[in-house]
């Protein structure tokens, strides 16, 4: 399993989850866990996904997700699980 962490942050608007999830489904990425909150008007989502069956390489998908985020007015960050864990160790 190739676990990846995807974070999405920005002003809340209609369709953020739908657009991100549609992209993932179209690219054979399985969502393992998802958490989202809205604090006042700010949207925050964290997803753990399995990219094992994805046909595109990691870098290409990360770039496309970041571009999709810009199009819908949010910031999307995509990281391999091991890199995420090393960056967030206390």
């Amino acid at each position: 399993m190739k676990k990846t962490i995807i974070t999405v942050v920005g002003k809340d608007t209609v369709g953020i989850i739908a657009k991100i999830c549609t992209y993932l489904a179209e690219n054979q990425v399985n969502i393992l866990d998802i958490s989202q909150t809205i604090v006042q008007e700010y949207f925050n989502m964290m997803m753990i996904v399995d990219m094992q069956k994805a046909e595109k390489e990691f870098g290409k998908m990360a770039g496309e997700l970041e571009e999709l985020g810009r199009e819908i007015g949010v910031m999307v960050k995509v990281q391999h699980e091991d890199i995420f864990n090393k960056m967030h160790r206390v």
Side-chain angles (χ1 to χ4, degrees):
M1 187 177 308
K2 293 165 61 174
K3 287 186 184 176
T4 299
I5 310 301
I6 299 172
T7 55
V8 182
V9 178
K11 285 267 196 173
D12 187 36
T13 59
V14 173
I16 296 171
I17 296 172
K19 289 175 183 165
I20 299 293
C21 289
T22 297
Y23 174 88
L24 295 174
E26 289 172 349
N27 287 280
Q28 305 303 311
V29 176
N30 186 35
I31 299 169
L32 302 172
D33 200 356
I34 183 171
S35 171
Q36 66 91 32
T37 59
I38 299 169
V39 177
Q40 293 185 17
E41 70 269 15
Y42 296 98
F43 176 87
N44 183 25
M45 178 170 66
M46 181 175 169
M47 307 171 92
I48 301 172
V49 301
D50 178 8
M51 297 183 78
Q52 188 74 34
K53 295 182 181 176
E55 295 176 5
K56 295 179 184 176
E57 67 175 27
F58 177 86
K60 181 168 181 61
M61 290 188 67
E64 289 178 355
L65 280 164
E66 289 171 8
E67 177 59 31
L68 175 60
R70 283 190 287 277
E71 290 172 11
I72 60 177
V74 296
M75 183 176 63
V76 178
K77 188 167 187 174
V78 183
Q79 296 176 292
H80 288 291
E81 179 185 37
D82 55 341
I83 301 296
F84 181 88
N85 288 337
K86 288 180 182 173
M87 288 180 60
H88 294 90
R89 274 196 326 211
V90 177

